[in-house]
Amino acid sequence: MPGTRCGSDGEHELQDRYGTRDRAERFYQDQVLDQLNPTMIEFIARMDMAFIATADKHGECDASFRAGLPGFLHVIDERTLAYPEYRGNGVHASLGNILENPHVGILLIDFVQDLIGLHINGSARIVDDTALRHNVPELPENVKGRAAQHWVVVDVEEAYIHCRKHIPHLVPAAREQREWGTDNIRAKGGDYFGAKAQAQADALVR
């Protein structure tokens, strides 16, 4: 957080308990920035996926996945970035958490080229697409199936590396074309994990 030391109280307690305080302090000093540097901005611009962590006001957590064409995560300036919220299932789990608790964590990983990751932590707010475009006209254009209804605008508080040691090397493969924005149940994955079938079976035995 701005104006405070890096890391949580829990981090520091465990660093003392396990004797890693010196290593941690070197990491904080050498790798943790309070803004995006040019290399980070270039990295973000070529990412086509992101993992988003949020929590509600009670601390109940949710991790979500976002994807788009490279550049869908848009750096407004070195202290601000935004990502689009496309039409989805209407649950709004991540946005609902942000409404209660603005703290957000973003993890970007390059599985293909450099095998490296970038953590971005900050404070988020929800902005309507039209309103943000009025102030940030260089946002990626909306296209069919990828029309942003809202944007999550993040004020960057921490940005730091995720080491490559355990990042797998993935090779992109051609796959079927899927329609973005579809409501087709089968195209969206159907009942892959059997949750609906289980709920129906449970209802029959009640």
Side-chain angles (χ1 to χ4, degrees):
M1 302 293 289
T4 63
R5 66 178 182 173
C6 290
S8 67
D9 291 342
E11 284 180 44
H12 295 293
E13 179 178 338
L14 290 180
Q15 290 159 16
D16 289 336
R17 185 184 304 177
Y18 299 135
T20 65
R21 172 60 70 91
D22 289 344
R23 273 191 288 152
E25 289 296 338
R26 286 196 299 272
F27 180 82
Y28 294 147
Q29 181 176 344
D30 295 344
Q31 295 296 335
V32 181
L33 304 180
D34 64 358
Q35 61 184 339
L36 303 170
N37 68 20
T39 304
M40 292 173 174
I41 292 172
E42 182 277 329
F43 183 86
I44 294 167
R46 58 185 175 85
M47 292 296 100
D48 60 3
M49 69 178 84
F51 302 92
I52 311 293
T54 59
D56 66 16
K57 63 185 176 184
H58 304 293
E60 298 290 335
C61 299
D62 183 76
S64 192
F65 176 74
R66 295 291 183 271
L69 297 174
F72 84 103
L73 287 144
H74 182 77
V75 176
I76 297 173
D77 57 47
E78 68 274 10
R79 295 185 181 275
T80 319
L81 64 82
Y83 65 85
E85 285 287 335
Y86 302 125
R87 184 173 181 271
N89 57 19
V91 173
H92 301 305
S94 296
L95 292 183
N97 284 347
I98 289 169
L99 197 63
E100 296 184 18
N101 175 357
H103 300 295
V104 64
I106 302 173
L107 175 61
L108 308 172
I109 298 183
D110 177 358
F111 294 100
V112 176
Q113 181 176 316
D114 294 325
L115 306 184
I116 205 74
L118 175 65
H119 291 267
I120 301 169
N121 298 326
S123 180
R125 60 191 185 277
I126 305 165
V127 181
D128 181 74
D129 179 67
T130 303
L132 189 61
R133 287 183 187 281
H134 178 73
N135 294 311
V136 188
E138 67 273 16
L139 287 174
E141 290 187 13
N142 282 326
V143 296
K144 183 179 179 181
R146 291 192 180 107
Q149 297 184 320
H150 311 282
W151 290 80
V152 174
V153 179
V154 179
D155 295 324
V156 177
E157 295 171 358
E158 293 181 333
Y160 56 91
I161 192 172
H162 185 97
C163 79
R164 63 165 47 98
K165 187 164 56 174
H166 299 297
I167 295 176
H169 186 189
L170 306 182
V171 179
R175 61 180 303 166
E176 77 280 3
Q177 292 296 312
R178 289 168 294 170
E179 181 185 351
W180 282 68
T182 182
D183 283 326
N184 182 284
I185 299 299
R186 184 177 179 85
K188 291 171 68 175
D191 191 28
Y192 181 89
F193 291 105
K196 182 178 180 180
Q198 182 64 51
Q200 292 173 337
D202 290 346
L204 290 176
V205 299
R206 287 175 186 158

